[in-house]
Amino acid sequence: MRLRPIPSALALALLIATSACQKQETASPAGTPAATQAASAEADAKFADLSKRWLDGWLELQPVSATQTGRHDFDDRVDDLSAAGRQAFVDFSKKMLAEVDAFDAGKLSRENQVDLAILRNQIRYDIWQMETLQSWAWDPQVYNSLAGGALYTLMAREFAPMPQRLKAATARMEKIPTLLAQMRENLDPARVPKIHAETVAKQNAGITSIVDGMILPHAGELSGDDRKRLEAAADALKKAVAENQTWLDKTLVPNARGDFRLGQKLYDEKLAFALNSPLTRQEIRTRAEAAIKQTRAEMYDIARKVLADKADAPKEMPDAPSDEQQQKTIEAALELAYADRPARDKVVELAKASTAQATAFVKEKQLVSVPDAPVQIILMPEFQRGVAVAYCDSPGPLDKGLDTFYAVSPIPDDWSKEQVDSFLREYNTRSIHELSIHEAMPGHYLQLWHSNKYPSTLRAVLGSGSFIEGWAMYGEKVMADAGYMDNDPLMQLIQRKWALRAMANAILDQAIHVDGMSRDDAMKLMTVTTFQQEREAAGKWVRAQLTSAQLPSYFVGYSEHLDLRNEVQKREGDKFNLKAYHDKLLSFGSPPGRFARELMLDEPIQ
């Protein structure tokens, strides 16, 4: 997955105005009446002003997110989730929405028409989340992510000299106790799901680990009153975190009794905002179920070839198998892949080696232009563990030349031998290769590098989750189709197993939040239908309870990417060039798939 910050934004008037002019210049074909061109230029300029004012205001109200995206004007602040702070955010959003709704999109360049549509969706989503979803009242993850992110984003990358970042961290450490107090004030235990309370209770100490591991070791770079202030702020914050831990353990966890399931109305509304796709919940499920059936059939064909000369192969592997015969055959072949797995302390090392191998392959096959920016494979920070096994964390659109992090979660120390074995069966040697393809090359790392080069600041900030996650899954298929480890049928089998996981995600999310799917049925879908190991499935069950409308983004985005490529390839015929197609698609930034299609095919913006 790509690490998605709390909604974040970034505004530079010069950059926005420049990109608006660039778009206008390329949007008017020869022969367009001068008056029409002038009207379009005027409309684009007005939109640049509107975008700037919205971005500036959005940033000031969400300073932690501003740091994440590379805007550092507010590095000494944290978000205000008090009643007054929330109301200020809603008032600002409604004022800006009125301006957006009054805008005449028909006068804008095509690129700005897309950005206007993306902006409208985001503002409406912001208002809906604050007034309707109200996660600030029932989800403690909101506060934990802000508290940990406020410090981690300052210290993880060298965007400024250490003393400057330490002073900002000092100011934020002084303010985080107030944020934790707002958590205790705002959360209603009757609405808080127990799984959310338990997860944050485990993550809470991660805030202290950032202070001890990333801030205090550098305290010597400050002197005098600055150092005294930093040390005092650190002490006060650690006490506040300890106080919060007591409240979490003694009050919130024992009394949490909310329902983690969103229900149909909230889920459908959130899905529409989050994906910004024309696909409905029902259409997503139908597509996913059909894709699972097709993928399992492909896996069966590969498995039969793998097992053809094996003495312990299933006795019956007919051309038209029963469900049971198909299941046994695929499982038997997968066992051969599971046998090749890394030691528990070598997962990160293998992730580094597989990323290098995948990068060399992409270059050799000329699949897409490769980044010249660095990527670091790291252990996942403690405060972010417990939701996903890995993520890609790219620098903000303005933090040029800084590292992208491909973070891998370590195996918990308290896991039993059986749990560790289950995890390493799932994340076997070939699966780590697949993970590196998804998170790094040519997945998130590559795509976000392209996206951050796009001149529209607005689109860079409001990147579509389904475009981003869908690209990473699509990248896995591109590598397989290009022959990555082509002489290794077990790698082909693992690639399809990973595709099955994304298909299952799309079903799992809605089945849990809308249809009331039980843990047993969810585990069956994952461990039987899509061949996931118990540890992976158990972790996904937790993740599906803690999140919503994110798990479908992989398959929905993948479907949109594949549909678009097939359509362009059909139109261009023998002239189609895969690298040129990928480079052009990625040059649009990270718009929702519907807009990427309209830009690629030069169709009207809907």
Side-chain angles (χ1 to χ4, degrees):
M1 66 181 287
R2 187 250 173 148
L3 179 63
R4 298 290 293 164
I6 302 156
S8 51
L10 159 59
L12 283 184
L14 178 60
L15 184 58
I16 294 173
T18 300
S19 63
C21 291
Q22 290 171 339
K23 293 171 194 173
Q24 194 277 329
E25 288 169 1
T26 60
S28 301
T32 300
T36 302
Q37 292 189 36
S40 179
E42 182 180 359
D44 284 340
K46 288 182 178 179
F47 180 69
D49 174 70
L50 172 62
S51 298
K52 176 190 180 303
R53 288 186 287 109
W54 177 78
L55 285 165
D56 282 341
W58 207 47
L59 279 172
E60 190 168 2
L61 291 165
Q62 300 180 112
V64 175
S65 300
T67 303
Q68 173 73 30
T69 56
R71 175 73 180 272
H72 299 291
D73 300 57
F74 315 110
D75 283 352
D76 59 344
R77 308 181 198 177
V78 297
D79 299 35
D80 179 7
L81 290 181
S82 67
R86 300 194 307 271
Q87 190 60 51
F89 185 79
V90 170
D91 291 345
F92 166 77
S93 298
K94 289 183 175 179
K95 177 179 179 297
M96 297 307 301
L97 181 61
E99 291 193 46
V100 167
D101 285 343
F103 212 96
D104 185 355
K107 294 181 179 180
L108 292 171
S109 66
R110 289 179 55 76
E111 298 283 349
N112 275 335
Q113 288 178 22
V114 168
D115 285 0
L116 179 67
I118 292 171
L119 177 56
R120 178 184 289 109
N121 183 77
Q122 183 62 49
I123 298 175
R124 292 178 61 229
Y125 193 16
D126 286 342
I127 296 169
W128 180 85
Q129 288 187 98
M130 196 65 77
E131 293 190 329
T132 303
L133 186 62
Q134 297 184 345
S135 53
W136 52 266
W138 58 265
D139 189 355
Q141 295 178 105
V142 170
Y143 303 88
N144 185 72
S145 295
L146 278 172
L151 302 178
Y152 180 76
T153 54
L154 290 175
M155 305 307 298
R157 293 187 176 91
E158 297 180 2
F159 61 83
M162 180 61 74
Q164 179 180 330
R165 289 184 285 136
L166 287 172
K167 290 177 183 178
T170 298
R172 283 187 167 175
M173 286 192 292
E174 292 171 340
K175 295 176 176 65
I176 290 174
T178 298
L179 177 65
L180 298 179
Q182 290 172 357
M183 175 199 288
R184 297 190 292 272
E185 173 69 22
N186 294 344
L187 291 178
D188 177 1
R191 296 179 64 185
V192 176
K194 185 170 285 292
I195 184 65
H196 291 65
E198 291 173 342
T199 297
V200 171
K202 294 176 183 177
Q203 293 175 333
N204 183 62
I207 300 171
T208 299
S209 73
I210 297 174
V211 175
D212 289 336
M214 301 180 74
I215 297 176
L216 289 179
H218 301 287
E221 299 208 25
L222 297 179
S223 60
D225 290 343
D226 288 335
R227 178 165 182 173
K228 290 178 182 178
R229 182 182 169 193
L230 182 148
E231 291 173 344
D235 287 342
L237 177 55
K238 287 196 276 189
K239 290 177 182 177
V241 170
E243 177 186 353
N244 204 53
Q245 189 71 55
T246 299
W247 178 79
L248 289 167
D249 294 337
K250 303 293 186 182
T251 300
L252 187 62
V253 171
N255 295 294
R257 54 186 186 279
D259 188 354
F260 63 83
R261 304 177 195 273
L262 284 190
Q264 180 178 329
K265 182 176 183 298
L266 286 178
Y267 183 86
D268 284 347
E269 290 173 352
K270 185 174 183 180
L271 191 72
F273 282 126
L275 299 184
N276 201 355
S277 169
L279 292 176
T280 65
R281 168 169 52 88
Q282 293 84 354
E283 288 170 335
I284 292 169
R285 183 158 191 165
T286 298
R287 279 194 173 208
E289 288 173 343
I292 286 176
K293 183 177 180 179
Q294 177 182 336
T295 304
R296 283 178 58 101
E298 293 174 4
M299 292 177 73
Y300 178 72
D301 289 341
I302 295 170
R304 283 205 302 169
K305 295 174 184 175
V306 168
L307 297 169
D309 59 350
K310 299 292 189 273
D312 55 351
K315 294 181 180 179
E316 297 180 344
M317 297 188 293
D319 291 341
S322 66
D323 290 345
E324 183 179 1
Q325 288 169 332
Q326 185 188 67
Q327 187 75 20
K328 287 183 177 179
T329 301
I330 297 172
E331 286 179 347
L334 285 172
E335 284 297 326
L336 301 177
Y338 298 156
D340 182 6
R341 52 186 188 259
R344 65 178 295 164
D345 61 345
K346 298 296 183 182
V347 174
V348 173
E349 183 178 312
L350 180 56
K352 292 180 180 179
S354 57
T355 298
Q357 183 174 337
T359 301
F361 183 84
V362 170
K363 290 179 178 178
E364 177 193 348
K365 297 295 183 179
Q366 290 288 296
L367 300 178
V368 60
S369 293
V370 174
D372 56 10
V375 60
Q376 284 192 29
I377 293 89
I378 64 170
L379 285 176
M380 188 181 295
E382 184 178 353
F383 81 100
Q384 290 171 329
R385 297 174 192 170
V387 178
V389 171
Y391 64 71
C392 178
D393 178 13
S394 64
L398 285 191
D399 278 335
K400 304 301 183 184
L402 298 183
D403 289 345
T404 290
F405 297 130
Y406 163 18
V408 181
S409 181
I411 297 175
D413 293 335
D414 60 354
W415 274 14
S416 68
K417 182 180 180 301
E418 290 74 18
Q419 289 174 317
V420 172
D421 182 68
S422 174
F423 177 87
L424 291 176
R425 281 165 60 84
E426 183 72 19
Y427 289 92
N428 54 75
T429 299
R430 291 175 179 83
S431 282
I432 296 298
H433 276 273
E434 198 70 19
L435 182 68
S436 296
I437 290 170
H438 182 100
E439 300 294 345
M441 179 61 66
H444 291 320
Y445 159 51
L446 178 141
Q447 186 268 316
L448 293 169
W449 174 79
H450 278 273
S451 181
N452 282 348
K453 293 169 59 182
Y454 187 73
S456 168
T457 304
L458 184 74
R459 197 180 302 173
V461 169
L462 300 181
S464 163
S466 59
F467 184 99
I468 293 166
E469 297 293 0
W471 170 268
M473 183 181 173
Y474 167 78
E476 297 170 35
K477 178 172 174 55
V478 168
M479 293 288 276
D481 290 346
Y484 186 69
M485 294 189 175
D486 209 16
N487 59 347
D488 183 357
L490 290 179
M491 185 67 193
Q492 298 170 28
L493 203 62
I494 289 295
Q495 184 271 324
R496 285 163 176 79
K497 174 184 163 171
W498 272 61
L500 280 182
R501 291 196 340 182
M503 297 161 191
N505 285 348
I507 297 172
L508 189 70
D509 195 61
Q510 61 175 267
I512 288 173
H513 286 284
V514 177
D515 303 326
M517 175 181 270
S518 67
R519 185 182 190 278
D520 287 345
D521 286 342
M523 293 295 285
K524 182 179 179 181
L525 171 65
M526 291 184 281
T527 61
V528 178
T529 305
T530 57
F531 305 103
Q532 298 173 49
Q533 294 298 301
E534 187 275 337
R535 279 295 84 193
E536 172 68 17
K540 190 65 64 63
W541 166 251
V542 171
R543 179 176 169 184
Q545 295 173 82
L546 292 171
T547 66
S548 54
Q550 193 276 329
L551 285 174
S553 62
Y554 304 87
F555 179 69
V556 170
Y558 167 78
S559 298
E560 291 175 336
H561 277 296
L562 204 57
D563 288 348
L564 177 56
R565 192 190 77 180
N566 289 340
E567 187 169 356
V568 172
Q569 194 166 2
K570 183 177 180 180
R571 289 190 182 192
E572 296 186 358
D574 294 340
K575 296 180 181 179
F576 180 80
N577 178 278
L578 189 61
K579 182 176 184 291
Y581 169 80
H582 288 155
D583 285 353
K584 182 178 180 180
L585 175 65
L586 296 181
S587 75
F588 299 139
S590 302
R594 66 199 303 173
F595 298 130
R597 181 183 184 280
E598 289 162 354
L599 289 169
M600 179 68 77
L601 300 177
D602 197 29
E603 293 184 348
I605 306 300
Q606 301 294 325

